[in-house]
Amino acid sequence: MNAPLTNRYTRLVGIDHPVVQEGLGPYRTPKLAAAVSNAGGLGTVSMPGMPVDIQEGARTFRAHIEEASALTDRVFAVNIPVGVDSHGKVLEFTDVYIRTVLEMREKDPALARKLRVMTTSAGFPGDYIGAIKDAGMIHQHKVGSTRQAVKSEEAGVDVIIAAGFEMGGHAPAAGVHTYVLVPTIVEAVSVPVLLTGGARNGRSLASALAMGAEGVAMGTRFILTHENSDWHPSYIQALLDAKEGDDVAFDGVYGPCRGLRNTASLELLKAQNAPDADPVALTRHKIESMQRAQTTGDTENSLVLTGQIAGAINDLVSVAEFVPRIAEEAADILQSLAASIRVPAPA
């Protein structure tokens, strides 16, 4: 496969193009993850929400990982948010899901050769960094501030994902956008950095590389692909119909969350400001609402997660063509810019 852009990140992970499919939990993504990996990028199997029966959730997660593994011979990743309670204690689902992945790899060497990357997000993964590293996995952690990036590198994380506030789903509480955040983090750490939030094409990738990142991670753009056949068509159509300004940030499960402005998100904005709101009931409602939108297609009365970039996307693409194409587009843009630079003649 032609790989016009190679760097530390592509060599570290073992992929052809510096293009990553974001975690899209609590949704089903094994087919999409395999398609992205087969196209030369890094696909990601998302965690399946937080069911009351965590062990059942672990079985579902295991099944999704096995499905993705059966569909690709390339490297792929899993994404697991690090949830904590009001006392800072890691929630049970995080512990169970991380241990499920490590146990699967230990028992199945063939799977371990493909499932090489774990992405964590939301809370700090300090208690698990050692176990992930000891298992031989590449550990990516998503952050929303330079302070978090430095802390993560010092703790041993291999890759930093710099998350701009324009991203979909759970966005960083710091509220810093990619254009400010990415170059600042690049200057503060020595490990590879990925940009997430607002990326959709080769121009986005070229911009990320110009800011010092070594790749892009995209969520909304990969939702809107032909290979994402597990999601309800009405959800897909709602994102295709979205225009600039149709998104809104509301209080999610781990902090701010971005989705479409609709009845569900506006009602949630009112509920979260109510003095008698039950935080546990609200959390359960949010997760169920997010899953309902994806599975039933109720895009008005359920939470439809998406990034601001949805307003700039109006088509579905084929993953197999899209991933290598944006790498080629980015390379062409960077070569064109380099050719336009006038080098002064020697004095």
Side-chain angles (χ1 to χ4, degrees):
M1 180 179 290
N2 179 37
L5 294 171
T6 59
N7 53 31
R8 284 191 305 168
Y9 182 71
T10 59
R11 291 188 291 271
L12 173 67
V13 178
I15 56 179
D16 298 316
H17 310 298
V19 177
V20 177
Q21 169 233 325
E22 269 276 34
L24 298 169
Y27 309 141
R28 175 182 173 83
T29 60
K31 292 179 183 177
L32 178 59
V36 174
S37 290
N38 286 336
L42 181 68
T44 303
V45 176
S46 303
M47 72 94 170
M50 291 185 287
V52 175
D53 184 345
I54 300 299
Q55 293 304 321
E56 181 179 347
R59 289 190 290 271
T60 300
F61 196 22
R62 187 179 296 109
H64 288 182
I65 292 170
E66 290 172 345
E67 181 180 353
S69 180
L71 294 171
T72 185
D73 290 325
R74 304 296 301 270
V75 176
F76 68 96
V78 292
N79 178 76
I80 303 173
V82 181
V84 296
D85 62 19
S86 58
H87 301 291
K89 182 180 178 181
V90 174
L91 298 177
E92 182 184 8
F93 85 91
T94 295
D95 183 79
V96 170
Y97 287 171
I98 289 178
R99 296 192 187 283
T100 294
V101 171
L102 299 183
E103 290 170 4
M104 289 182 71
R105 294 182 77 260
E106 185 176 7
K107 293 178 180 178
D108 188 346
L111 172 66
R113 284 192 290 272
K114 291 183 281 188
L115 178 50
R116 294 184 55 204
V117 182
M118 182 180 295
T119 300
T120 53
S121 56
F124 183 63
D127 292 342
Y128 299 95
I129 294 174
I132 295 169
K133 186 175 294 290
D134 290 345
M137 297 192 78
I138 297 164
H139 185 186
Q140 304 183 154
H141 184 58
K142 187 185 299 183
V143 304
S145 72
T146 304
R147 178 186 61 80
Q148 293 170 348
V150 171
K151 180 180 178 180
S152 298
E153 180 185 30
E154 291 176 346
V157 168
D158 300 300
V159 178
I160 299 296
I161 303 178
F165 192 54
E166 62 266 57
M167 68 173 287
H170 283 89
V176 184
H177 289 266
T178 54
Y179 195 81
V180 175
L181 183 69
V182 172
T184 306
I185 286 181
V186 166
E187 293 168 2
V189 301
S190 59
V191 297
V193 175
L194 301 179
L195 175 154
T196 189
R200 66 179 173 93
N201 56 18
R203 193 175 299 279
S204 304
L205 176 55
S207 299
L209 296 174
M211 285 192 282
E214 299 194 32
V216 293
M218 297 179 287
T220 302
R221 175 67 274 188
F222 278 120
I223 293 174
L224 297 173
T225 58
H226 293 294
E227 286 81 357
N228 189 25
S229 58
D230 286 324
W231 293 42
H232 197 284
S234 294
Y235 195 113
I236 304 298
Q237 192 60 50
L239 299 196
L240 290 173
D241 292 340
K243 302 295 187 295
E244 285 186 5
D246 284 351
D247 64 291
V248 63
F250 51 86
D251 188 18
V253 178
Y254 315 105
C257 198
R258 188 175 302 283
L260 290 184
R261 187 186 306 274
N262 61 9
T263 298
S265 60
L266 294 179
E267 287 182 349
L268 182 58
L269 284 171
K270 294 178 182 177
Q272 69 191 33
N273 294 322
D276 57 347
D278 180 348
V280 175
L282 268 178
T283 295
R284 185 174 293 113
H285 163 74
K286 294 169 189 174
I287 295 172
E288 291 175 351
S289 184
M290 294 170 188
Q291 292 174 321
R292 186 169 61 250
Q294 187 265 332
T295 57
T296 71
D298 181 356
T299 59
E300 184 56 42
N301 300 297
S302 302
L303 296 171
V304 180
L305 304 188
T306 184
Q308 288 185 334
I309 200 63
I313 300 174
N314 55 21
D315 64 342
L316 300 181
V317 293
S318 166
V319 168
E321 298 172 355
F322 173 72
V323 171
R325 186 176 74 235
I326 68 168
E328 292 167 2
E329 289 175 353
D332 288 344
I333 289 169
L334 294 173
Q335 287 178 339
S336 176
L337 291 173
S340 70
I341 298 174
R342 179 176 173 273
V343 179

